[in-house]
Amino acid sequence: MSVNHSLRDRFESGLAAPICLTWEVTYACNLACRHCLSSSGVRDPRELTTDEAKAFLDEVAAMQIFYINIGGGEPTIRRDFFELVEYGLSRGIGIKFSTNGSRITPEVAQRLAGNDYLDVQISLDGADAATNDALRGEGSYDTAIRAMENLRDAGMTGFKISVVVTRHNVGQIDQLLALADSMNAELRLTRLRPSGRGVDVWDELRLSAADNRALYHWLMDHPTVLTGDSFFHLSALGDPLAGINLCGAGRVVCLIDPVGDVYACPFVIHEQFLAGSIRDGGFGHVWRDSELFRSLREPGSPGACASCGSYDACRGGCMAAKFFTGLELTDPDPECVFGHGETALAQRVSLGPRPSPDHSKRVTISSR
Amino acid sequence: MADQPDFAAHWSLHPSVSLRDESFGAMAYHHGNRRLVFLKSPLLVDVVRQLDDFESADAALDALVADEQRAALCRALETLTSSEIVRVG
Ligand code: SF4
Ligand code: SF4
């Protein structure tokens, strides 16, 4: 999808409904990935009930939101997960859900296959068990591969294999693409952001400047690889990558968390980006009227990027990446391709704020 | 070059497409090919919504669109057929 300028201005000022709505249905998870963006682990007892979840889906349908992305935690852990999926589908809502694959048995795969309105995204963070499991935990590679095989064998095509690109797997993207081909799936690469538990591993796992440059050219050469628009800060290197190329937080993107809180984006689970709760008058009210969203839809100030010739391509990058690394929102992206982010990082007065709330399991899982 | 679609045929919004009004026109989403498409004028949205009621695309354009806007509308409609938002025949 490429978008011309006047439309991008429309996006900046917000739409009648989000394009990319993520709904994390539970904070419970059977894994404990080191970079989990939502610090998931333990279920929040205040989780939306089945009735509340269905009322929310009714509103999604009424607002004519085309599709939603369901995540977590591990969403399939919710007992009513498939009931909610079926309910959403019956309302004409497209549903894509992200899973670590642990519950995608051959029987479940059969149920999922062959529905245009349903899509599945399996998380995998390396082309081999050693690379993947170092981040996602022992056995998680085999689990994910088995889920993919089950989906393929059930005849499902075009499901997604979603990879957070790190310094350890960036050299494996050709292999990951070959894996996706062999599973009749599509590869999706996304940016590692310092969100959730990711804040603790970001420095250790993030790409070097050279990696980022190589990745940009690889993405330009492989336009069918999906990115969720997450590498637009690299568009400053030349021709823009396909996508909207601006921070969509609160404009076209938002997150509903398991207790119904609405945040500007899945990567900014922090009270500063909390717009309201769907328990408080419904989602549409928050989307339209929240003060936070209104302010995010104002034309942004280019701040320290004002004199950059690539501002139009990069728009200063990702708000979440700046916020959780302790930069000002008007600073350049910490991974600014011209190195201005490194300069800003070196000058910051304090480290970034801690993500909140944290639903990590209390026991620390040794994962190194 | 793709063939020029047949404006003498009956056209309609594809059954897998959802259409949502926006201030600039509308957004359309095709649940089959997962394409998101922008309809950048209210007139285009109007025509697309009503195509099904006319026996042909030409008839819809005759009834709904002024002569001087027709060429632009035809081009916009053609792109909607290639993304399968609109179905011909
Ligand atoms: S200076 Fe700002 S706008 Fe320019 S490339 Fe860096 S982050 Fe992007
Ligand atoms: S904060 Fe970052 S991840 Fe969230 S919408 Fe903006 S650019 Fe995307």
Side-chain angles (χ1 to χ4, degrees), chain A residues 4 7 10-11 15-17 19 63-64 66-67 94 116-119, chain B residues 15-16 18-24 27-29 31-32 34 36 38 40:
Chain A
N4 68 24
L7 273 174
R10 302 285 186 189
F11 283 153
L15 297 171
I19 298 178
M63 287 176 74
Q64 297 177 284
F66 302 131
Y67 58 89
D116 273 356
Y117 282 66
L118 186 60
D119 199 1
Chain B
S16 300
S18 316
L19 201 61
R20 180 177 80 223
D21 287 325
E22 288 289 346
S23 56
F24 54 84
M27 295 185 49
Y29 180 71
H31 288 272
R34 311 247 159 87
L36 191 61
F38 304 85
K40 290 177 236 164

PDB file of all heavy atoms in Angstrom, chain A residues 4 7 10-11 15-17 19 63-64 66-67 94 116-119, chain B residues 15-16 18-24 27-29 31-32 34 36 38 40:
ATOM      1  N   ASN A   4      -0.431   8.657  -1.107  1.00  0.00           N
ATOM      2  CA  ASN A   4       0.064   9.968  -1.513  1.00  0.00           C
ATOM      3  C   ASN A   4      -0.066  10.981  -0.382  1.00  0.00           C
ATOM      4  O   ASN A   4      -0.608  10.704   0.673  1.00  0.00           O
ATOM      5  CB  ASN A   4      -0.619  10.422  -2.801  1.00  0.00           C
ATOM      6  CG  ASN A   4      -2.084  10.711  -2.567  1.00  0.00           C
ATOM      7  OD1 ASN A   4      -2.499  11.005  -1.454  1.00  0.00           O
ATOM      8  ND2 ASN A   4      -2.874  10.607  -3.616  1.00  0.00           N
ATOM      9  N   LEU A   7      -3.437  12.126   1.288  1.00  0.00           N
ATOM     10  CA  LEU A   7      -4.029  11.093   2.133  1.00  0.00           C
ATOM     11  C   LEU A   7      -3.270  10.948   3.438  1.00  0.00           C
ATOM     12  O   LEU A   7      -3.851  10.696   4.480  1.00  0.00           O
ATOM     13  CB  LEU A   7      -4.057   9.754   1.405  1.00  0.00           C
ATOM     14  CG  LEU A   7      -5.295   9.573   0.556  1.00  0.00           C
ATOM     15  CD1 LEU A   7      -5.181   8.302  -0.247  1.00  0.00           C
ATOM     16  CD2 LEU A   7      -6.543   9.542   1.400  1.00  0.00           C
ATOM     17  N   ARG A  10      -4.595  13.236   5.798  1.00  0.00           N
ATOM     18  CA  ARG A  10      -5.854  12.751   6.385  1.00  0.00           C
ATOM     19  C   ARG A  10      -5.566  11.787   7.525  1.00  0.00           C
ATOM     20  O   ARG A  10      -6.225  11.800   8.549  1.00  0.00           O
ATOM     21  CB  ARG A  10      -6.695  11.998   5.355  1.00  0.00           C
ATOM     22  CG  ARG A  10      -7.038  12.793   4.144  1.00  0.00           C
ATOM     23  CD  ARG A  10      -8.110  13.792   4.466  1.00  0.00           C
ATOM     24  NE  ARG A  10      -8.522  14.464   3.255  1.00  0.00           N
ATOM     25  CZ  ARG A  10      -9.323  15.512   3.242  1.00  0.00           C
ATOM     26  NH1 ARG A  10      -9.788  15.986   4.372  1.00  0.00           N
ATOM     27  NH2 ARG A  10      -9.651  16.056   2.108  1.00  0.00           N
ATOM     28  N   PHE A  11      -4.599  10.919   7.303  1.00  0.00           N
ATOM     29  CA  PHE A  11      -4.247   9.955   8.342  1.00  0.00           C
ATOM     30  C   PHE A  11      -3.778  10.662   9.593  1.00  0.00           C
ATOM     31  O   PHE A  11      -4.087  10.276  10.699  1.00  0.00           O
ATOM     32  CB  PHE A  11      -3.122   9.034   7.859  1.00  0.00           C
ATOM     33  CG  PHE A  11      -3.595   7.983   6.930  1.00  0.00           C
ATOM     34  CD1 PHE A  11      -2.739   7.444   5.991  1.00  0.00           C
ATOM     35  CD2 PHE A  11      -4.884   7.511   7.003  1.00  0.00           C
ATOM     36  CE1 PHE A  11      -3.174   6.459   5.134  1.00  0.00           C
ATOM     37  CE2 PHE A  11      -5.319   6.527   6.148  1.00  0.00           C
ATOM     38  CZ  PHE A  11      -4.466   5.998   5.204  1.00  0.00           C
ATOM     39  N   LEU A  15      -8.940   9.044  11.555  1.00  0.00           N
ATOM     40  CA  LEU A  15     -10.004   8.470  10.741  1.00  0.00           C
ATOM     41  C   LEU A  15     -11.217   8.174  11.621  1.00  0.00           C
ATOM     42  O   LEU A  15     -11.117   8.190  12.844  1.00  0.00           O
ATOM     43  CB  LEU A  15      -9.510   7.164  10.105  1.00  0.00           C
ATOM     44  CG  LEU A  15      -8.338   7.281   9.126  1.00  0.00           C
ATOM     45  CD1 LEU A  15      -7.830   5.902   8.762  1.00  0.00           C
ATOM     46  CD2 LEU A  15      -8.757   8.045   7.883  1.00  0.00           C
ATOM     47  N   ALA A  16     -12.331   7.875  10.962  1.00  0.00           N
ATOM     48  CA  ALA A  16     -13.549   7.563  11.705  1.00  0.00           C
ATOM     49  C   ALA A  16     -13.372   6.321  12.575  1.00  0.00           C
ATOM     50  O   ALA A  16     -14.034   6.158  13.596  1.00  0.00           O
ATOM     51  CB  ALA A  16     -14.702   7.348  10.720  1.00  0.00           C
ATOM     52  N   ALA A  17     -12.444   5.451  12.167  1.00  0.00           N
ATOM     53  CA  ALA A  17     -12.173   4.237  12.935  1.00  0.00           C
ATOM     54  C   ALA A  17     -10.736   3.820  12.632  1.00  0.00           C
ATOM     55  O   ALA A  17     -10.205   4.163  11.578  1.00  0.00           O
ATOM     56  CB  ALA A  17     -13.147   3.128  12.522  1.00  0.00           C
ATOM     57  N   ILE A  19      -7.435   1.706  11.479  1.00  0.00           N
ATOM     58  CA  ILE A  19      -7.136   0.697  10.469  1.00  0.00           C
ATOM     59  C   ILE A  19      -6.492  -0.510  11.132  1.00  0.00           C
ATOM     60  O   ILE A  19      -6.708  -1.638  10.752  1.00  0.00           O
ATOM     61  CB  ILE A  19      -6.167   1.264   9.396  1.00  0.00           C
ATOM     62  CG1 ILE A  19      -6.793   2.441   8.672  1.00  0.00           C
ATOM     63  CG2 ILE A  19      -5.787   0.167   8.394  1.00  0.00           C
ATOM     64  CD1 ILE A  19      -5.866   3.072   7.654  1.00  0.00           C
ATOM     65  N   MET A  63     -18.865   0.123  14.127  1.00  0.00           N
ATOM     66  CA  MET A  63     -17.972   1.179  13.636  1.00  0.00           C
ATOM     67  C   MET A  63     -17.379   0.826  12.276  1.00  0.00           C
ATOM     68  O   MET A  63     -16.587   1.581  11.731  1.00  0.00           O
ATOM     69  CB  MET A  63     -16.832   1.418  14.634  1.00  0.00           C
ATOM     70  CG  MET A  63     -17.252   2.132  15.906  1.00  0.00           C
ATOM     71  SD  MET A  63     -15.866   2.265  17.081  1.00  0.00           S
ATOM     72  CE  MET A  63     -14.844   3.539  16.315  1.00  0.00           C
ATOM     73  N   GLN A  64     -17.736  -0.320  11.761  1.00  0.00           N
ATOM     74  CA  GLN A  64     -17.240  -0.786  10.460  1.00  0.00           C
ATOM     75  C   GLN A  64     -15.713  -0.868  10.433  1.00  0.00           C
ATOM     76  O   GLN A  64     -15.083  -0.501   9.451  1.00  0.00           O
ATOM     77  CB  GLN A  64     -17.750   0.114   9.337  1.00  0.00           C
ATOM     78  CG  GLN A  64     -19.260   0.083   9.208  1.00  0.00           C
ATOM     79  CD  GLN A  64     -19.726   1.039   8.137  1.00  0.00           C
ATOM     80  OE1 GLN A  64     -19.766   2.255   8.323  1.00  0.00           O
ATOM     81  NE2 GLN A  64     -20.074   0.488   6.984  1.00  0.00           N
ATOM     82  N   PHE A  66     -12.688  -2.867   9.735  1.00  0.00           N
ATOM     83  CA  PHE A  66     -12.653  -3.972   8.782  1.00  0.00           C
ATOM     84  C   PHE A  66     -12.127  -5.264   9.402  1.00  0.00           C
ATOM     85  O   PHE A  66     -12.629  -6.336   9.159  1.00  0.00           O
ATOM     86  CB  PHE A  66     -11.771  -3.617   7.587  1.00  0.00           C
ATOM     87  CG  PHE A  66     -12.212  -2.376   6.873  1.00  0.00           C
ATOM     88  CD1 PHE A  66     -11.301  -1.383   6.564  1.00  0.00           C
ATOM     89  CD2 PHE A  66     -13.541  -2.205   6.515  1.00  0.00           C
ATOM     90  CE1 PHE A  66     -11.697  -0.229   5.899  1.00  0.00           C
ATOM     91  CE2 PHE A  66     -13.953  -1.058   5.847  1.00  0.00           C
ATOM     92  CZ  PHE A  66     -13.022  -0.061   5.543  1.00  0.00           C
ATOM     93  N   TYR A  67     -11.063  -5.127  10.156  1.00  0.00           N
ATOM     94  CA  TYR A  67     -10.474  -6.326  10.756  1.00  0.00           C
ATOM     95  C   TYR A  67      -9.746  -5.933  12.026  1.00  0.00           C
ATOM     96  O   TYR A  67      -9.408  -4.764  12.229  1.00  0.00           O
ATOM     97  CB  TYR A  67      -9.495  -7.015   9.796  1.00  0.00           C
ATOM     98  CG  TYR A  67      -8.368  -6.124   9.342  1.00  0.00           C
ATOM     99  CD1 TYR A  67      -7.184  -6.049  10.056  1.00  0.00           C
ATOM    100  CD2 TYR A  67      -8.503  -5.329   8.198  1.00  0.00           C
ATOM    101  CE1 TYR A  67      -6.166  -5.204   9.646  1.00  0.00           C
ATOM    102  CE2 TYR A  67      -7.492  -4.486   7.786  1.00  0.00           C
ATOM    103  CZ  TYR A  67      -6.326  -4.427   8.515  1.00  0.00           C
ATOM    104  OH  TYR A  67      -5.327  -3.580   8.120  1.00  0.00           O
ATOM    105  N   GLY A  94     -13.071  -9.110  10.021  1.00  0.00           N
ATOM    106  CA  GLY A  94     -11.904  -9.911   9.719  1.00  0.00           C
ATOM    107  C   GLY A  94     -11.058 -10.058  10.973  1.00  0.00           C
ATOM    108  O   GLY A  94     -10.927  -9.114  11.748  1.00  0.00           O
ATOM    109  N   ASP A 116     -11.684 -16.834   4.486  1.00  0.00           N
ATOM    110  CA  ASP A 116     -11.042 -15.592   4.052  1.00  0.00           C
ATOM    111  C   ASP A 116     -10.953 -14.556   5.161  1.00  0.00           C
ATOM    112  O   ASP A 116     -10.075 -13.707   5.164  1.00  0.00           O
ATOM    113  CB  ASP A 116     -11.869 -14.950   2.921  1.00  0.00           C
ATOM    114  CG  ASP A 116     -11.458 -15.499   1.565  1.00  0.00           C
ATOM    115  OD1 ASP A 116     -10.510 -16.298   1.522  1.00  0.00           O
ATOM    116  OD2 ASP A 116     -12.104 -15.122   0.572  1.00  0.00           O
ATOM    117  N   TYR A 117     -11.909 -14.597   6.073  1.00  0.00           N
ATOM    118  CA  TYR A 117     -11.980 -13.556   7.098  1.00  0.00           C
ATOM    119  C   TYR A 117     -11.064 -13.845   8.281  1.00  0.00           C
ATOM    120  O   TYR A 117     -10.958 -13.050   9.208  1.00  0.00           O
ATOM    121  CB  TYR A 117     -13.430 -13.401   7.592  1.00  0.00           C
ATOM    122  CG  TYR A 117     -14.288 -12.618   6.622  1.00  0.00           C
ATOM    123  CD1 TYR A 117     -14.580 -13.127   5.360  1.00  0.00           C
ATOM    124  CD2 TYR A 117     -14.786 -11.362   6.947  1.00  0.00           C
ATOM    125  CE1 TYR A 117     -15.350 -12.404   4.461  1.00  0.00           C
ATOM    126  CE2 TYR A 117     -15.559 -10.635   6.061  1.00  0.00           C
ATOM    127  CZ  TYR A 117     -15.833 -11.161   4.815  1.00  0.00           C
ATOM    128  OH  TYR A 117     -16.589 -10.436   3.934  1.00  0.00           O
ATOM    129  N   LEU A 118     -10.400 -14.980   8.237  1.00  0.00           N
ATOM    130  CA  LEU A 118      -9.576 -15.390   9.371  1.00  0.00           C
ATOM    131  C   LEU A 118      -8.131 -15.587   8.935  1.00  0.00           C
ATOM    132  O   LEU A 118      -7.865 -16.193   7.893  1.00  0.00           O
ATOM    133  CB  LEU A 118     -10.144 -16.702   9.926  1.00  0.00           C
ATOM    134  CG  LEU A 118      -9.522 -17.236  11.208  1.00  0.00           C
ATOM    135  CD1 LEU A 118      -9.680 -16.239  12.337  1.00  0.00           C
ATOM    136  CD2 LEU A 118     -10.199 -18.542  11.588  1.00  0.00           C
ATOM    137  N   ASP A 119      -7.220 -15.046   9.720  1.00  0.00           N
ATOM    138  CA  ASP A 119      -5.807 -15.174   9.406  1.00  0.00           C
ATOM    139  C   ASP A 119      -5.056 -15.472  10.701  1.00  0.00           C
ATOM    140  O   ASP A 119      -5.481 -15.052  11.775  1.00  0.00           O
ATOM    141  CB  ASP A 119      -5.313 -13.864   8.782  1.00  0.00           C
ATOM    142  CG  ASP A 119      -4.012 -14.029   8.009  1.00  0.00           C
ATOM    143  OD1 ASP A 119      -3.493 -15.166   7.940  1.00  0.00           O
ATOM    144  OD2 ASP A 119      -3.514 -13.023   7.481  1.00  0.00           O
TER     145      ASP A 119
ATOM    146  N   PRO B  15     -18.853  -8.819  -3.095  1.00  0.00           N
ATOM    147  CA  PRO B  15     -19.496  -9.201  -1.824  1.00  0.00           C
ATOM    148  C   PRO B  15     -18.522  -9.326  -0.641  1.00  0.00           C
ATOM    149  O   PRO B  15     -18.951  -9.239   0.511  1.00  0.00           O
ATOM    150  CB  PRO B  15     -20.145 -10.565  -2.138  1.00  0.00           C
ATOM    151  CG  PRO B  15     -19.609 -10.989  -3.453  1.00  0.00           C
ATOM    152  CD  PRO B  15     -19.111  -9.774  -4.173  1.00  0.00           C
ATOM    153  N   SER B  16     -17.229  -9.511  -0.899  1.00  0.00           N
ATOM    154  CA  SER B  16     -16.276  -9.593   0.216  1.00  0.00           C
ATOM    155  C   SER B  16     -15.712  -8.240   0.623  1.00  0.00           C
ATOM    156  O   SER B  16     -14.762  -8.173   1.392  1.00  0.00           O
ATOM    157  CB  SER B  16     -15.092 -10.499  -0.150  1.00  0.00           C
ATOM    158  OG  SER B  16     -15.531 -11.783  -0.451  1.00  0.00           O
ATOM    159  N   SER B  18     -15.919  -4.535   2.416  1.00  0.00           N
ATOM    160  CA  SER B  18     -16.590  -3.612   3.336  1.00  0.00           C
ATOM    161  C   SER B  18     -16.169  -2.196   2.989  1.00  0.00           C
ATOM    162  O   SER B  18     -15.012  -1.950   2.672  1.00  0.00           O
ATOM    163  CB  SER B  18     -16.201  -3.887   4.790  1.00  0.00           C
ATOM    164  OG  SER B  18     -16.210  -5.251   5.073  1.00  0.00           O
ATOM    165  N   LEU B  19     -17.132  -1.303   3.087  1.00  0.00           N
ATOM    166  CA  LEU B  19     -16.906   0.085   2.713  1.00  0.00           C
ATOM    167  C   LEU B  19     -17.249   0.953   3.921  1.00  0.00           C
ATOM    168  O   LEU B  19     -18.279   0.756   4.551  1.00  0.00           O
ATOM    169  CB  LEU B  19     -17.850   0.405   1.553  1.00  0.00           C
ATOM    170  CG  LEU B  19     -17.581   1.556   0.612  1.00  0.00           C
ATOM    171  CD1 LEU B  19     -16.261   1.363  -0.116  1.00  0.00           C
ATOM    172  CD2 LEU B  19     -18.724   1.645  -0.410  1.00  0.00           C
ATOM    173  N   ARG B  20     -16.365   1.878   4.251  1.00  0.00           N
ATOM    174  CA  ARG B  20     -16.641   2.758   5.398  1.00  0.00           C
ATOM    175  C   ARG B  20     -16.439   4.217   4.992  1.00  0.00           C
ATOM    176  O   ARG B  20     -15.404   4.559   4.428  1.00  0.00           O
ATOM    177  CB  ARG B  20     -15.717   2.417   6.551  1.00  0.00           C
ATOM    178  CG  ARG B  20     -15.947   3.280   7.776  1.00  0.00           C
ATOM    179  CD  ARG B  20     -15.072   2.885   8.936  1.00  0.00           C
ATOM    180  NE  ARG B  20     -13.738   3.425   8.805  1.00  0.00           N
ATOM    181  CZ  ARG B  20     -12.625   2.750   9.050  1.00  0.00           C
ATOM    182  NH1 ARG B  20     -12.686   1.477   9.409  1.00  0.00           N
ATOM    183  NH2 ARG B  20     -11.462   3.317   8.923  1.00  0.00           N
ATOM    184  N   ASP B  21     -17.418   5.051   5.277  1.00  0.00           N
ATOM    185  CA  ASP B  21     -17.294   6.472   4.936  1.00  0.00           C
ATOM    186  C   ASP B  21     -16.204   7.133   5.758  1.00  0.00           C
ATOM    187  O   ASP B  21     -16.043   6.849   6.936  1.00  0.00           O
ATOM    188  CB  ASP B  21     -18.625   7.193   5.188  1.00  0.00           C
ATOM    189  CG  ASP B  21     -19.662   6.817   4.137  1.00  0.00           C
ATOM    190  OD1 ASP B  21     -19.258   6.606   2.972  1.00  0.00           O
ATOM    191  OD2 ASP B  21     -20.848   6.719   4.477  1.00  0.00           O
ATOM    192  N   GLU B  22     -15.457   8.004   5.092  1.00  0.00           N
ATOM    193  CA  GLU B  22     -14.452   8.827   5.760  1.00  0.00           C
ATOM    194  C   GLU B  22     -14.613  10.247   5.231  1.00  0.00           C
ATOM    195  O   GLU B  22     -15.260  10.451   4.203  1.00  0.00           O
ATOM    196  CB  GLU B  22     -13.037   8.299   5.451  1.00  0.00           C
ATOM    197  CG  GLU B  22     -12.692   6.984   6.141  1.00  0.00           C
ATOM    198  CD  GLU B  22     -12.495   7.119   7.653  1.00  0.00           C
ATOM    199  OE1 GLU B  22     -12.365   8.262   8.140  1.00  0.00           O
ATOM    200  OE2 GLU B  22     -12.478   6.083   8.341  1.00  0.00           O
ATOM    201  N   SER B  23     -13.984  11.208   5.903  1.00  0.00           N
ATOM    202  CA  SER B  23     -14.193  12.599   5.509  1.00  0.00           C
ATOM    203  C   SER B  23     -13.769  12.845   4.054  1.00  0.00           C
ATOM    204  O   SER B  23     -14.342  13.674   3.370  1.00  0.00           O
ATOM    205  CB  SER B  23     -13.414  13.524   6.446  1.00  0.00           C
ATOM    206  OG  SER B  23     -12.049  13.150   6.444  1.00  0.00           O
ATOM    207  N   PHE B  24     -12.781  12.111   3.565  1.00  0.00           N
ATOM    208  CA  PHE B  24     -12.291  12.347   2.196  1.00  0.00           C
ATOM    209  C   PHE B  24     -13.049  11.523   1.163  1.00  0.00           C
ATOM    210  O   PHE B  24     -12.797  11.635  -0.032  1.00  0.00           O
ATOM    211  CB  PHE B  24     -10.798  12.012   2.110  1.00  0.00           C
ATOM    212  CG  PHE B  24     -10.445  10.631   2.589  1.00  0.00           C
ATOM    213  CD1 PHE B  24     -10.551   9.535   1.748  1.00  0.00           C
ATOM    214  CD2 PHE B  24     -10.009  10.434   3.897  1.00  0.00           C
ATOM    215  CE1 PHE B  24     -10.230   8.260   2.188  1.00  0.00           C
ATOM    216  CE2 PHE B  24      -9.690   9.155   4.344  1.00  0.00           C
ATOM    217  CZ  PHE B  24      -9.799   8.073   3.492  1.00  0.00           C
ATOM    218  N   MET B  27     -13.099   4.355   2.723  1.00  0.00           N
ATOM    219  CA  MET B  27     -12.090   3.320   2.634  1.00  0.00           C
ATOM    220  C   MET B  27     -12.799   2.015   2.349  1.00  0.00           C
ATOM    221  O   MET B  27     -13.891   1.772   2.853  1.00  0.00           O
ATOM    222  CB  MET B  27     -11.332   3.204   3.949  1.00  0.00           C
ATOM    223  CG  MET B  27     -10.550   4.463   4.208  1.00  0.00           C
ATOM    224  SD  MET B  27      -9.546   4.336   5.662  1.00  0.00           S
ATOM    225  CE  MET B  27      -8.797   2.808   5.346  1.00  0.00           C
ATOM    226  N   ALA B  28     -12.155   1.197   1.527  1.00  0.00           N
ATOM    227  CA  ALA B  28     -12.726  -0.102   1.203  1.00  0.00           C
ATOM    228  C   ALA B  28     -11.712  -1.174   1.569  1.00  0.00           C
ATOM    229  O   ALA B  28     -10.506  -0.987   1.402  1.00  0.00           O
ATOM    230  CB  ALA B  28     -13.050  -0.178  -0.286  1.00  0.00           C
ATOM    231  N   TYR B  29     -12.212  -2.280   2.070  1.00  0.00           N
ATOM    232  CA  TYR B  29     -11.331  -3.378   2.411  1.00  0.00           C
ATOM    233  C   TYR B  29     -11.880  -4.665   1.812  1.00  0.00           C
ATOM    234  O   TYR B  29     -13.056  -4.971   1.964  1.00  0.00           O
ATOM    235  CB  TYR B  29     -11.212  -3.524   3.933  1.00  0.00           C
ATOM    236  CG  TYR B  29     -10.305  -4.653   4.347  1.00  0.00           C
ATOM    237  CD1 TYR B  29      -8.925  -4.548   4.168  1.00  0.00           C
ATOM    238  CD2 TYR B  29     -10.820  -5.823   4.908  1.00  0.00           C
ATOM    239  CE1 TYR B  29      -8.078  -5.581   4.535  1.00  0.00           C
ATOM    240  CE2 TYR B  29      -9.972  -6.864   5.278  1.00  0.00           C
ATOM    241  CZ  TYR B  29      -8.606  -6.740   5.090  1.00  0.00           C
ATOM    242  OH  TYR B  29      -7.777  -7.762   5.453  1.00  0.00           O
ATOM    243  N   HIS B  31     -11.859  -8.504   1.917  1.00  0.00           N
ATOM    244  CA  HIS B  31     -11.481  -9.567   2.847  1.00  0.00           C
ATOM    245  C   HIS B  31     -10.829 -10.763   2.161  1.00  0.00           C
ATOM    246  O   HIS B  31     -10.199 -11.578   2.811  1.00  0.00           O
ATOM    247  CB  HIS B  31     -12.703 -10.032   3.653  1.00  0.00           C
ATOM    248  CG  HIS B  31     -13.163  -9.033   4.666  1.00  0.00           C
ATOM    249  ND1 HIS B  31     -12.669  -8.977   5.937  1.00  0.00           N
ATOM    250  CD2 HIS B  31     -14.057  -8.014   4.576  1.00  0.00           C
ATOM    251  CE1 HIS B  31     -13.243  -7.983   6.605  1.00  0.00           C
ATOM    252  NE2 HIS B  31     -14.089  -7.390   5.803  1.00  0.00           N
ATOM    253  N   GLY B  32     -10.998 -10.869   0.853  1.00  0.00           N
ATOM    254  CA  GLY B  32     -10.361 -11.972   0.132  1.00  0.00           C
ATOM    255  C   GLY B  32      -8.901 -11.676  -0.174  1.00  0.00           C
ATOM    256  O   GLY B  32      -8.007 -12.376   0.279  1.00  0.00           O
ATOM    257  N   ARG B  34      -7.333  -9.018   0.858  1.00  0.00           N
ATOM    258  CA  ARG B  34      -6.812  -8.203   1.976  1.00  0.00           C
ATOM    259  C   ARG B  34      -6.281  -6.854   1.533  1.00  0.00           C
ATOM    260  O   ARG B  34      -5.359  -6.322   2.142  1.00  0.00           O
ATOM    261  CB  ARG B  34      -5.722  -8.984   2.746  1.00  0.00           C
ATOM    262  CG  ARG B  34      -6.112 -10.395   3.113  1.00  0.00           C
ATOM    263  CD  ARG B  34      -6.258 -10.586   4.608  1.00  0.00           C
ATOM    264  NE  ARG B  34      -7.084 -11.733   4.928  1.00  0.00           N
ATOM    265  CZ  ARG B  34      -6.646 -12.992   5.043  1.00  0.00           C
ATOM    266  NH1 ARG B  34      -5.364 -13.243   4.901  1.00  0.00           N
ATOM    267  NH2 ARG B  34      -7.466 -13.974   5.333  1.00  0.00           N
ATOM    268  N   LEU B  36      -6.507  -2.846   1.061  1.00  0.00           N
ATOM    269  CA  LEU B  36      -7.151  -1.673   1.613  1.00  0.00           C
ATOM    270  C   LEU B  36      -7.065  -0.593   0.542  1.00  0.00           C
ATOM    271  O   LEU B  36      -5.991  -0.312   0.030  1.00  0.00           O
ATOM    272  CB  LEU B  36      -6.370  -1.253   2.852  1.00  0.00           C
ATOM    273  CG  LEU B  36      -6.938  -0.209   3.784  1.00  0.00           C
ATOM    274  CD1 LEU B  36      -8.252  -0.669   4.374  1.00  0.00           C
ATOM    275  CD2 LEU B  36      -5.932   0.047   4.899  1.00  0.00           C
ATOM    276  N   PHE B  38      -8.463   3.291  -1.047  1.00  0.00           N
ATOM    277  CA  PHE B  38      -9.028   4.591  -0.698  1.00  0.00           C
ATOM    278  C   PHE B  38      -9.874   5.105  -1.843  1.00  0.00           C
ATOM    279  O   PHE B  38      -9.428   5.116  -2.980  1.00  0.00           O
ATOM    280  CB  PHE B  38      -7.904   5.575  -0.416  1.00  0.00           C
ATOM    281  CG  PHE B  38      -7.009   5.067   0.653  1.00  0.00           C
ATOM    282  CD1 PHE B  38      -5.964   4.210   0.354  1.00  0.00           C
ATOM    283  CD2 PHE B  38      -7.261   5.386   1.968  1.00  0.00           C
ATOM    284  CE1 PHE B  38      -5.164   3.696   1.356  1.00  0.00           C
ATOM    285  CE2 PHE B  38      -6.461   4.875   2.972  1.00  0.00           C
ATOM    286  CZ  PHE B  38      -5.410   4.035   2.660  1.00  0.00           C
ATOM    287  N   LYS B  40     -11.290   8.356  -3.109  1.00  0.00           N
ATOM    288  CA  LYS B  40     -10.905   9.701  -2.710  1.00  0.00           C
ATOM    289  C   LYS B  40     -11.906  10.772  -3.071  1.00  0.00           C
ATOM    290  O   LYS B  40     -11.556  11.945  -3.080  1.00  0.00           O
ATOM    291  CB  LYS B  40      -9.530  10.027  -3.303  1.00  0.00           C
ATOM    292  CG  LYS B  40      -8.421   9.225  -2.636  1.00  0.00           C
ATOM    293  CD  LYS B  40      -7.077   9.494  -3.258  1.00  0.00           C
ATOM    294  CE  LYS B  40      -6.443   8.219  -3.731  1.00  0.00           C
ATOM    295  NZ  LYS B  40      -5.345   8.442  -4.650  1.00  0.00           N
TER     296      LYS B  40
END
